[in-house]
Amino acid sequence: MLDALSASLTVASSGLEAQSTRMRIVSENLANATSTGRTAGADPYQRKTITFDAAMDRASGAQLAKVKEIGVDTTPYRVEYDPGHPAADKAGYVKMPNVNMMIEMADMREVNRSYEANLQVVKQVRSMLGMTIDLLRS
């Protein structure tokens, strides 16, 4: 029984770590949603993406969530007409980041829920381990 609880704790902690990294990436995207290039025609911030993979934990035999890759979104930049902007090209157009605030906010909600679910598993396992220790003492 303790092996199963330990494996559950290992899986949940790997999920917490993976979702924490995902939360950092989404936060960076949100923070840079309006970050343009510094010079005329320069490329703005490029949205980051994250890919997960399952990895077998040899000690527990459980499938763990791991960050496979942090990449960049190749979606084209938005272009806005703002001739007074320092990053405007000769025609007055500014390249804006390819960050969609609605997608990032939806991702943030999903990350938050996944993180909370993994945290609940950790709390439940700790509670079950405490009850098991109490039973063994009796």
Side-chain angles (χ1 to χ4, degrees):
M1 171 152 165
L2 290 178
D3 287 343
L5 291 176
S6 177
S8 298
L9 197 56
T10 303
V11 170
S13 65
S14 77
L16 284 170
E17 186 177 335
Q19 293 304 328
S20 178
T21 303
R22 183 176 175 203
M23 191 176 299
R24 182 180 55 81
I25 296 299
V26 172
S27 296
E28 285 180 27
N29 290 338
L30 286 169
N32 289 295
T34 59
S35 297
T36 61
R38 294 178 186 236
T39 60
D43 286 342
Y45 174 82
Q46 194 168 15
R47 179 179 181 260
K48 291 183 180 178
T49 60
I50 187 166
T51 308
F52 296 107
D53 197 11
M56 178 66 78
D57 180 40
R58 293 178 192 254
S60 66
Q63 290 280 345
L64 305 180
K66 295 286 182 189
V67 174
K68 181 179 180 181
E69 177 183 19
I70 296 175
V72 292
D73 188 351
T74 57
T75 305
Y77 300 118
R78 294 183 333 235
V79 179
E80 293 181 6
Y81 183 72
D82 187 359
H85 195 283
D89 61 13
K90 291 178 182 176
Y93 289 96
V94 179
K95 291 181 189 175
M96 299 301 288
N98 58 351
V99 176
N100 182 328
M101 294 292 280
M102 295 300 285
I103 290 173
E104 299 304 323
M105 292 304 292
D107 279 353
M108 184 61 83
R109 286 184 59 185
E110 184 180 328
V111 169
N112 200 16
R113 287 183 178 155
S114 296
Y115 192 89
E116 292 274 335
N118 283 302
L119 198 56
Q120 279 302 111
V121 169
V122 170
K123 288 178 181 178
Q124 290 298 321
V125 168
R126 285 182 61 200
S127 174
M128 291 173 82
L129 285 170
M131 287 189 278
T132 303
I133 291 170
D134 288 344
L135 284 172
L136 292 172
R137 285 183 188 160
S138 315

